[in-house]
Every structure is written in structure tokens, then in C-alpha cells.
Amino acid sequence: MSRTEARTTLALPDRGEPLADRFRATRSLTESLLEPLSEADAIIQSMEDASPAKWHAAHTTWFWETFLLRDHLPGYRLFDEVYPFLFNSYYEAEGDRIARGRRGLISRPSLAEILGWRAHVNEAMDKLLPDPAHADLIRLGIAHEEQHIELLLTDIKHGFSMNALGPAMWDAPACRQPAQCEGWLEHPGGIARIGHQSDGFAFDNEGPAHRALLEPFALSRRLVTNGEWDDFISDGGYDDHRLWLSDGWEWVKREGIAAPLYWREGEQFTHAGWRERDPDAPVAHISYFEADAFASWAGARLPTEFEWEAIARGQDHPGFDSLAGNQLNEAAPPLPAGTGELFGDCWQFTQSAYLPYPRFRPAKGAVGEYNGKFMAGQWVLKGASCATVRGHSRPSYRNFFYPQQRWQFTGLRLAQDR
Amino acid sequence: MSRTEARTTLALPDRGEPLADRFRATRSLTESLLEPLSEADAIIQSMEDASPAKWHAAHTTWFWETFLLRDHLPGYRLFDEVYPFLFNSYYEAEGDRIARGRRGLISRPSLAEILGWRAHVNEAMDKLLPDPAHADLIRLGIAHEEQHIELLLTDIKHGFSMNALGPAMWDAPACRQPAQCEGWLEHPGGIARIGHQSDGFAFDNEGPAHRALLEPFALSRRLVTNGEWDDFISDGGYDDHRLWLSDGWEWVKREGIAAPLYWREGEQFTHAGWRERDPDAPVAHISYFEADAFASWAGARLPTEFEWEAIARGQDHPGFDSLAGNQLNEAAPPLPAGTGELFGDCWQFTQSAYLPYPRFRPAKGAVGEYNGKFMAGQWVLKGASCATVRGHSRPSYRNFFYPQQRWQFTGLRLAQDR
Amino acid sequence: MSRTEARTTLALPDRGEPLADRFRATRSLTESLLEPLSEADAIIQSMEDASPAKWHAAHTTWFWETFLLRDHLPGYRLFDEVYPFLFNSYYEAEGDRIARGRRGLISRPSLAEILGWRAHVNEAMDKLLPDPAHADLIRLGIAHEEQHIELLLTDIKHGFSMNALGPAMWDAPACRQPAQCEGWLEHPGGIARIGHQSDGFAFDNEGPAHRALLEPFALSRRLVTNGEWDDFISDGGYDDHRLWLSDGWEWVKREGIAAPLYWREGEQFTHAGWRERDPDAPVAHISYFEADAFASWAGARLPTEFEWEAIARGQDHPGFDSLAGNQLNEAAPPLPAGTGELFGDCWQFTQSAYLPYPRFRPAKGAVGEYNGKFMAGQWVLKGASCATVRGHSRPSYRNFFYPQQRWQFTGLRLAQDR
Amino acid sequence: MSRTEARTTLALPDRGEPLADRFRATRSLTESLLEPLSEADAIIQSMEDASPAKWHAAHTTWFWETFLLRDHLPGYRLFDEVYPFLFNSYYEAEGDRIARGRRGLISRPSLAEILGWRAHVNEAMDKLLPDPAHADLIRLGIAHEEQHIELLLTDIKHGFSMNALGPAMWDAPACRQPAQCEGWLEHPGGIARIGHQSDGFAFDNEGPAHRALLEPFALSRRLVTNGEWDDFISDGGYDDHRLWLSDGWEWVKREGIAAPLYWREGEQFTHAGWRERDPDAPVAHISYFEADAFASWAGARLPTEFEWEAIARGQDHPGFDSLAGNQLNEAAPPLPAGTGELFGDCWQFTQSAYLPYPRFRPAKGAVGEYNGKFMAGQWVLKGASCATVRGHSRPSYRNFFYPQQRWQFTGLRLAQDR
């Protein structure tokens, strides 16, 4: 498959497809993203937050083997007895695992062996895919692998950015950024219905559905751009303590932060290497601390996750989960009219802490460790990014990160009281 | 003044008093708490979170000098040009200051010199107290000093706890703990009015007043006790990862946490030294991580700050801000019927992250650094503790700490969905 | 080339060969050691002390390019302008370089590209090799690459040891360990001639030759064995503070040290994976702290570097620099009578700090950074290990490491006062 | 006692006095140095290397109680059962002790209680002092307390230096610094007798006496001065990596070192507060790394400990252990002709690592932990400083510190090969 095809493939899976097709498309997408990588590329781990590409390929396979095949396919035997130790991520209930910071040392099994494992598991899954009894777990597994596809992309970008050679994963077309739509989406306030409510798949943290009370507000139709961020920098934004949260100011001073991640003079690092920075493109790779400081500087604020979702639900967006804009493309692509305002390009920080919804209960067993145990100290992000698999996100989707993290495609959209 | 008197004094200031009287009573209370301390006791700093008692006495004085006398009393000259550097806490707008962890090195000025400074400032303040133009700032200054009185008490307790001699600040009477009231306070849900709304003083973070939507719930009439915590320990609460948030579990493992702070076999450390632990007294000195894990173990949850406040406002508590229970007494004192459920003994963790209320705007200038800039990564606590100055707290009061901190008198009260 | 051949090759270079032949044999040896490694194996970096195998292959090439080709071959152009930044180790005079801990992130250039660079440099070197004007620098470059060959072997061993799969670099023959020779080599004391004194190559730190005054002493004919170390452990050696230097005791407690590196129940990790531990084989992978504590426990001491060298020079060892014992073989190989006592198997700790010899002066320029600037806090080791290239070491050779390091093949030989 | 007297007293004890008199004079000297200190001054601990003044007063008392009274005075009972835990320094054989970094938290017992303990122990010691069986231990105890007197002075200086008020312990007379003597002391080399050899007291690490072989060398008659150090700075000494050991260069970069400790523009911090810096006075408060770099810059080197001692023994210095120069005076005092070259003013770095002399054996029991266990990673300093008790040092004396430490009065004297 060519590099261009790999990028196209990222947008392939579709919610309308039969589950077995989606399973295969997702597995295949992971594998296609490994193609531009050498065996060495696939093992680098540039920080504890990031994991090697090979590890993502293996961990997603471990998930299928552990939660589906081992538990539900009679007679299935583990491909390798040591792999669960090597490729469990954080499931305490599933036993010991290697320290997170040592994932970059697993040179064996080789990438070829992991691909062999993937094929083996894919084949074994053929026997479980038709059985509706496993549909829920299979949907969870697909969503899980979709999340790791995005992490694989952001992690390898971070790893490559550490290399003075500035390696490219593929050639990106120089895409013209049209003027973004302007203005504000107004909301009159009132009681909004929040959280997952349809029959489709959702993570446990998106429910239960519940009501939230909103005051009148407005949400910007567009994301903050690189050009506006340049203005923030020129105006001394990184030097004015009054704009910053106390923890954020300490982070700025300690780490010497003075620009978004991956910025250097006039350029930014992308999957296609160092590229000229487009002032009209949305700013990305900023932390919550930076988003909050920018909003203060701009005389606005971040939206709450409830405001964001209320707007998303109120919109006429017939195709928001099959966005053409949601391509793996670092410069923001042209967005179809009326749909692209909220999804695609960048995850958007809200000012909502990542906490349980009313009456939230984690699922039983190891699967229950999926989301609930991370509800401390993180912030909710809404939308989707250019690295999000098409159809993965939805209005109720809650992404979450710590306030200093910024290696994801994270940006911001302003809100105002009305 | 005797030690018993010192404890009585802690309860003296009353909201009904003229402002000048409250000012003098608060200043005098700080000074009375220094009396049992030697010059050496007053300088120890046992961790970066804590400050020396002398530093609290000085910093509160710096606050009056900086925000009232320097800015508003014509002709006032700083008592000492170096003191602002030594005793500024975190106000970036007020310039440089010594590193927080070095406050324990300020052996000079002596305690006597600090007391001299206090007298000098108290006297100068006499000229500003009658002027209603300064009333708001004076109320802020009093509330600020009241907060530092509580910190002084919790910080010196932490410092003393490090000493193998187990020093006592004073002799506490062995107080009989009556059976706490039992049962649940029921709330039907609906829209509650939240935040500060009367004419009285409040911190900026308590407003603006706004509406919050509640689902039906119940709040325990009493705090969780030492005896119940013993059961949690016996049942393996500190060893079962399923009860813990991920960050909490890491904290437990890294720090070797296996009991509340200040516990040892059958005893707990108090301002009166090591004392037998009363199983019927409220548990104190626990972190948010522990409170959350306990609630999970108990099949309940922590209340939100909105639920807690709604209950507090719905209660008939004619005297909740002159609680007899709100004494500096480490074993929970007898509570007057119908009032003691919510205030006194311990600050109570909520599951609400410390975030701005809708339409919140920090004040301009250095005073604006008071609360808003700490709105990241901390949790709201409600109520008041045995070390809170009587009349300091109120239903809208929002205390806040990081999830691992536990040197304050922090406890928990369970909630349940209905 | 087969794996067995790779091991044989390690012993190939010979001091008697023409310089050009030695150059080619050394370069070829490095390359042969990369053969059993995958692209991923060649990039892992398991700690800051260790470097990836590919990095060793590149850095040694950088050395030839920088100090020979760039400076002495007219018209030579750098193979790649970025490589000096990526592959400089510590030469401040040669400019910036990537942080040491990030060497494991250099997935590009690929291993194939590095091998291409090596071929390019090897070919260019052909023009300089015959010129006697460069002989000294060429000898230094060969010695430098030999050192990195040993590091490559110990670093990849450390990396593999982190992998739960316990990968093997090659199959080692199960080699029978004959009883080591017993007894003591006696020395009457007096003035010994120390340091490099022949015409052959030596590092700057081996000179100037000078006199040292020795008291009568004896040096053990053999190395301490695994079996003796087991006795040390059984006797509580790791639990008795009286045996340890203060810094060593702190290290033992902090790191939880209770056995040599790479030991587990009855086994030790080798280049051939986990193997049964031979009680008669020399103990390896111990720190200075451990060596010193063992000597105290045994009622003996470590020799000084001067005592060791005096013995080495006094021996009749016609072939000590072409030792059959000096093979890359983790279980100690059979040693030829009369030669194997001092060289091979393990580097041996002395009680001498690594300091300059009288009248030592570092060379001018970047090459002068070779050894002198490390003369602080390290200890001298003498001899050679099973991973030392045959002919690399000599009686005046001074290896050096920090007292807690133990990922090299480090062992000990006891001494006694007479 | 006045402050001036306190300084005079420091010079009082004399080796010729009866042992009981020396004991009392030493104890009294410690107490006199506490006089200028407040209770708060006496408890500050500015870094882990330093201890509070009160702790020194207590620890020295613990030494007498533990090694003399407890073991040798029938019927003696510990003054307080908890004190050994609080005031043991590092003697593993004497059981647990508080973490070193927490000595600054021991506000109780009070300074008055420690002085009471001192009086109690002094009185009890009256019964042991006349018994010659204890003379050796008593001499050790006196020497031990003398060492802590110097530490008390350097530790309180470090603590005061952290205070923006720049407190003074006493007023120092502005002392005129005469021109130091110039030139070199020549030594022809040969075999020197090294180590303690008379009947007087010496620490275990000063023996056994042994021979050392010296090459011809010269030692500067004077210490390097502040003015010369200014030249080193002006010449870019702190910016030129070529002058530095690798570990030293890393230390300079990491800590931002650009001048000796306690220097600021034109001034230096002293026991008398901030004072103008005298360019003719010896430079003090430098690390080994700095001393070594300066020597390289100056085209010289540091002497070995053997060279230094050989010169000291060869000199006609009838009164070197009753030096007038050895006063507690931060600006170098006038030195009596012919004696002051080596002792007084500053401890002088040698290039000798702190290692055991041939045939050194630590004493049995807890006293054996005195010196031997620190023989790793430290450097030997010779001479004595202005804060050394008169008569404490001698030619064989070996002081030792880590290469980055510089809060002692440490300076340097150059040497050259001949």
C-alpha cells in the first residue's frame, strides 16, 4: 500500500458497516500505519507518556486475545505466555506488567512476530465475530484499537521530533487552508440533555445520560489559529503571570515553555517533517494551561464540556460522524459546510474537570478499569482531531488529559458568557 | 494567658461584632497561639506545604501592611524594607520572595521582632479601621488571617509530629464523644441556588451566585469515624486496587500509605501529643484519594459541592456560624442538636473539582491572585474543622486542596443516589 | 558468518599485524557483532550509562571521520552534516550533541545507512592508512573502537536482560570450567616501575612511567568465584553495615541490592540468555562497593593498581596479550597454564582511585578529552574481561568506573599484606 | 562573655594542658559559640550537609554519654531515653536515628534543656577524667567535639547566608591583610615518612605511618587569593570546559556556578555579615572542582597529600600547632613569620583521593565507624582553617570532603613539578 493510501485508509471504517467488516478495517488500518516505519522506528519511546508503535500494535492484539479469545473461544491457547506481561497496559486485574517507561526496550518479539500474532488473532476472531453475544465487547475492542491508532500517530510524531534529522513518516500534500468560518454559535441556556443516549456504542464514561443546567453563552465557530497564537506570543503572553493558573505558571517557568510544542522559527514539526507554519490553520499541541491563559488574554474563556455538547447536539450536522475533515492531515483541511465546526483538526479543551457523571458506575472486572479510574486531575476535551479515526468520536465523547500534556493534537475554541 | 484560654479564644470572633473589634480579636488570636511555642517551635518547617508559625504571624502582618497601610495610609512607611521579600507568600504582582521551602531558615527577625511589627501594624491600622471605604479590604484581611490561623495550627502539628519526643502544644481535656447522630439527610433534587448571596463577606471564589441542577440524593448525617476506618483497613482497603483511582493507587504504592496521617498502633498524634484513638470520633487527616476509595468500599460516594451546599442551606441551623462544635479540639466535641452535622470537626471532601463558578472573574491587581489562580487539580472541601476560627466558614465556603494532601483536618461524609 | 564465527572473530586482531590490517580487522569485528542483532535490537538503550549498538557502530565511525578524515584527508567531505551532532559522545571541543539519554531515539539513520557510512569511511581511510604520519592517531582510533566493542557487548547484554523473554545473542557452548589455580603470588615490596614504558600504543592515562613504592604483599592467583559469593550472601554480607563503605551501604539500601547484577535463583543472565550459574566460575557484574565489602568479609583487601601491575610485570607470561582465555564467553574458559591469572574473564577492581600519574598532562585539542577529564570519583580496574578484544589490554592499562557501576564484566581478586 | 571574648576563646585549648583542662575548655568553647545565637538561630538547617548549632551541641554530648559514661561509668543512666535517637549522627552500630535532613525540626528539647544535658554530662565526666584508662577515648572525644565546633561555625554561616537580612554572628574587626609571603618551597623528592608517628593523639585514618615516594616538586608559599580568583573569572575560567573535570563541568552547568560560594558583587558573606572582599586575602569556599580548574588555568597543579605533609614536616615551624593565624577570622589574619604558610586560613585541597593508608584497619565497634567508612569519592584536604580550633590539626591530619562541597573554609595552594 502506498503512503497516500495509508492516509486514505484512516478514514475508511464506517459505523454503518457490519461489525465484522469494521473489525477487519480497523485491524488493517493499524497495520497500514506500521508500513512507513522501520523496525527501529517502531520501537522508539521518547517519553513515558508515549509508547512504541510496535507496542500499540501488540497491545491492541493483547486486548482481543485477553478479553475475547481467552475468555470466550473454547480451546484457544495464548499465542505466547510472556506476551501478556509485555503488552498489558495498565489493567491491574490482569496481573503484572513491565514498567511503562521500559516499553521501548522490547526489541524482541520482532515486528514481524507481532504481525504474525496479529494475523493469528485476526483469524481466531473470525469464529467470534458472527456471534451477537460478543457484539458489545467487539465494539469496545474496535473503539479501543481506534484510540491506539491515534496514540500511535501522536507517539511516533513525538519520537521523530526528537531526531535532529527531522524524519518524515510520509509526504503530506501542501493543502490550502480556506478561511475558517467566523462568528459565534449562540445558545440561550436552559436544561440540556448530556451524555450518551442512542443505541450506538459509547464508552462507560459517556453515561449515564443526564441533565445539565446551562447559562446563556456563545461558542466560537472556529478554532484559534496559529496566527492568533503568534499575536499572543508577541504580546508577551508567556511572560505575564496574570494570565496563568498558578500550576501553569510554575510549569512555564520550570520547563521554559515559550511556544506550542513542535514550533520553531516559522515552522512546525509534522508527520511530513518540518513544514512552514500556516497562520490560518488551527493551533495545535498546546496544553490546558496554555489554552486557559490564551482565553484569559483574549478576554474569553473555555467552554464547559456541557456547553460544547449542547451546541454539538443542537447543530444540524447530518454527517458529523463521517467528516471529510477528519483526515490525518496536519494542516487543517477544507471542511464541508455546516459540519466541520466542531469535529476534526484538534481536540478542544474544555474547562471541565474529568469527573464521573451522576450515577456513573464502572463496569465489573478488568474492563471496568477502562475509564473510571482516571477521574482525577485531568481535563475533558471534546471533538476529534485530524488523527482520530473517522467515526470514532461523537457529541458525548470525552477525551481527557493532564493539564500539562500537549503531544496530542490539542487546540482550543473560545466561549463567552451572554 | 493560659493554654485553656488560648483555646477558648479561638472561638471568640463573632460576625456580629463591629469590624474593628473583629480585627483586634483576630490579631490577638494569632498572637495567643504563639504563646505555647518557643522561638524554635515557631520556626520549624516540616515540609514545603507547611510554613513556620512565625512566618504565618509575619505574613498576615505583611498582608495588612501591603494592601491597607502602604496603599491607603498617607505617610506610612514600611517597618522594614526586607520584610516584603521575606514574607510575601505567592503574590507574583508583589514581586520577588524567598523560595517557599526556605521559610524555615528565617531565624531573624526574631519572634519578638515579629511581635513588635505586629504591634506597630495593629496601631497603624487603628487609623484605617473606622473608615468604611476600607471595610471590604479589612474583611478580606480578617478572613485571610483566619485562614492562616488554621494553617498555623495544622502546620505546627505536622512539625511536632516529626519529633520523636511527641511534643504537646497544650493539654487537651479527655473529651467524651457522644454517639453521633445517625441516618441520612434526604434531598429531592431540583434546581438549587449555589454560591454567596447575602451581604456578608465572602471570598471571590464563592460567587457569583448561580443555579445548579441536582438529582435526588441523600447525605449522611454524620462523618465517617475512626472505627469505620479501622474496618476499611482490616478489610484490605489499602491493598485492593479496585477501590482506588489510578493516581491514588500509585500514590499509595509509592509512599507506602496504609493508614491516615498521624496514626500509629491504637493512637493518633494531636496538639496534645500522642493520644489514644477514639473509634467513635470522626476520622481525620485523610487525602481525597483515601476518601474516594473509602466511599467506593462503603458502596457510597462523596457528595458534590452543590449537594453539600444545598443541604446546608435547607437546614434549620440558626447558629451554624457560632458552632460550639467548632472548637480547637481534636477529639470531636459534643455537638448541639441540629447544627453540628455539617460544620466543625473536619473539612469534608466533595467529588467536585475546584473550578470557577459561571461568570467568575478574578479581581484586578494583586488581591485578584487570592483564589482564582489555584483552580487546577484541586478538590473542593466544605464545612469547617475543629481548627477553623468560629464564624470563618459558611455554606458557600470553598476550601480546596490537592488530592494527596492530608495534613489538614480532612474527613468525609458519604452520599448516595436516590 | 555464523554465530560461532562471530565469537572467534573477536579474538582475531593481533598486535603483530600491520596497522592497516588491524584497522580492517577491528572495523570488521564491530560489524560482525551487529549481525545477530535486529534493527530494533540495535537501537535499544536500557539506561543512560549504556548506548545502542547502532550508536557504537556510528560513533566509532564518527571518530575516524572527525579526527582522521576531516582533518587530514584533503577534499574529504562529511558523509552527512547532521551525523556529528548525533554521534559525538562527549567531546566538548567538537560542539553540541544530543543528550546521552536520547541515543535510543535515533531510529534514523537506519542500521543499513550506518553500515553504508562505515563502508564509506573504511574506503576513505585506505588513503590514510599507509602514511606513517597518522600512525599514532590510527592506533588511538583502533583502541577507541576496541573499547566500544566491549561496551557494545555489555550494553546489549544489559538491554536484553530487561526483556522478559530473555533473548539470546548467540548460543554459547556449555564450557567446562576447570578448577582454577589456587594460592598467592608473593611480592617482596620495594620500588616498582609503573606505567607504560615500551614503544607500543598506550592511552595517555597510562603514563608517564614512574616509580611506586610498595610494601610486601600477596595477590591471589585466582578470581573470587560465584560459589564464594554465595557464601558471602548466606553469611548475611548484604545485611551487615560493618562490611560496607558508607556510600555503599546507602546504595545497597536505596537500590535494594542483594546479589550481583544478572543473578536470579541459581541462574545468571548471559549473552546466551539465562543459564545455570557455575559455582566455580569467577563472579562478575559486581560494583566496587560490593568488591570492597566482600574483601572485608574475607579478611583481605583489594590490591592497589600498583601492586597489580607489579605482579603482572614480574610474571613470566609470554603470551598475556594473546590469551586464549580472553574469549567472549561468559562462563570462564579454560586458561592456559601460567598466563590466565591476570587477564581475561573479568576486570578486577583495585582500591586505587582513578587519578593522574605524576607529571601527567592531557594532550592538546579534542583528543585530549580522552581520559584526563574523568579523573574524579572513579576507581581503577586492571586486567581484561571475556568481552575485551584480544590484545587490547596490557599491564599498564587502566580501566575505570564509578563505584556503583556493574554492568561491565567486573570481578575481584584479593590481596593481603605480608 | 562578650563576642570578642568568644572569638578569643576559640584559640584557648592547648595540647600541653592536662586532659581534664582540655576537656573543660573544649566543652566551654562549644557553649560560648552558642551565646550569640537565638533559640531560632540554633535550629536552622539550610541543607542536608549542614546541621543546626543546637544539634552539634547535643550530638557532641551524646558522644560522651554513649562512648564514655554509658559504657564506663557504673550506675550512669541516660539523661533521656529518646536523645540517642535524636542525636546519633551516623553510627549504624548505635541503632536508629532521625533522617539527617530532619535535624532542623527538633525544636524540643529546647536549647536550655540541651545546655542542661551538657552540664549534667560534664559533671558526670568529672569522675572519668582522672582515670588514665579512658585517656584515649577522652582524647578522641575532645577531637570529635573540636571537629563539630568547626562544623557549627560553617553550618551557621551557611544558614545565615540564606537570610536576606544577612545576619551577623558577631562584629569582626576590619583586619589589615599584610602582603603574603611569595615564592615556592622546594622539595627534592625521595622517600618521605608519612602519617602519624608521635605519641600524641591522632585519628585512625592518619596511620599507620608509612613511606611514600616523591618526585621533585615545589609548593607555593602562599594560598591563592581573591584577587587571583577574580582574574580567573575575568579570563572566562567558569566558561571554558577545557579547564574542568567532566563531573565538575556538569556541576558548573547544572548549578549555574560562576564564583566561589558567598560571593556577590565586591563582597563576601562572613560571620560578620556581608563585607567588602579583600583581594589580598586567600580565596575560600571553593570546591575541589574549582580548585582543580584554577590550577589548570594557572599552569600548575594541586599537591598530593604526601607532598604537602613532607613539606610540613620539613619546615622549621616551632609553633605550628599554636598558630596565631588560626583564629576565627574570615579575613586572613597577619601570620607570624615562618609558620603561617601551611596552617590556618583555609583547608587546602590536595589531588589525593581519601583512601586508606597501607595496612590501615578500622577500630572495632562503633568507634570504628569514625573515619574508614567514608573512604570513597572524597578528597583529602590538609592544613587548618580560621575556624579550626587551635591545636586541632597537625601535619598528618586528613580532612576530607566530596568534590562539589564548598561550605567549609576551603582554599588552595599550588604545586609544580620540578
Side-chain angles (χ1 to χ4, degrees), chain A residues 37 70 80 92 123 184 248 272 280 306 309 320 338 392 409:
Chain A
L37 303 180
R70 185 195 62 181
D80 187 298
E92 302 276 352
E123 193 178 312
W184 299 86
D280 294 328
F306 310 107
E309 183 172 342
F320 72 74
H392 177 71
F409 289 93

Side-chain angles (χ1 to χ4, degrees), chain B residues 36 38-41 43-46 54 80 82 85-86 102 104-109 160 162-165 167-168, chain D residues 36 38-41 43-46 54 80 82 85-86 102 104-109 160 162-165 167-168:
Chain B
S38 74
E39 176 98 23
D41 294 337
I43 200 189
I44 58 174
Q45 180 180 30
S46 51
K54 186 172 75 179
D80 188 297
V82 179
F85 175 81
L86 292 175
R102 292 189 173 176
L105 302 180
I106 314 172
S107 64
R108 318 274 180 96
F160 277 3
M162 296 275 155
N163 191 325
L165 292 174
Chain D
S38 74
E39 176 98 22
D41 293 339
I43 199 189
I44 57 174
Q45 180 180 29
S46 51
K54 186 172 76 178
D80 187 298
V82 178
F85 176 80
L86 293 175
R102 294 189 172 174
L105 302 180
I106 315 172
S107 63
R108 318 273 181 97
F160 277 3
M162 296 275 153
N163 191 327
L165 294 174

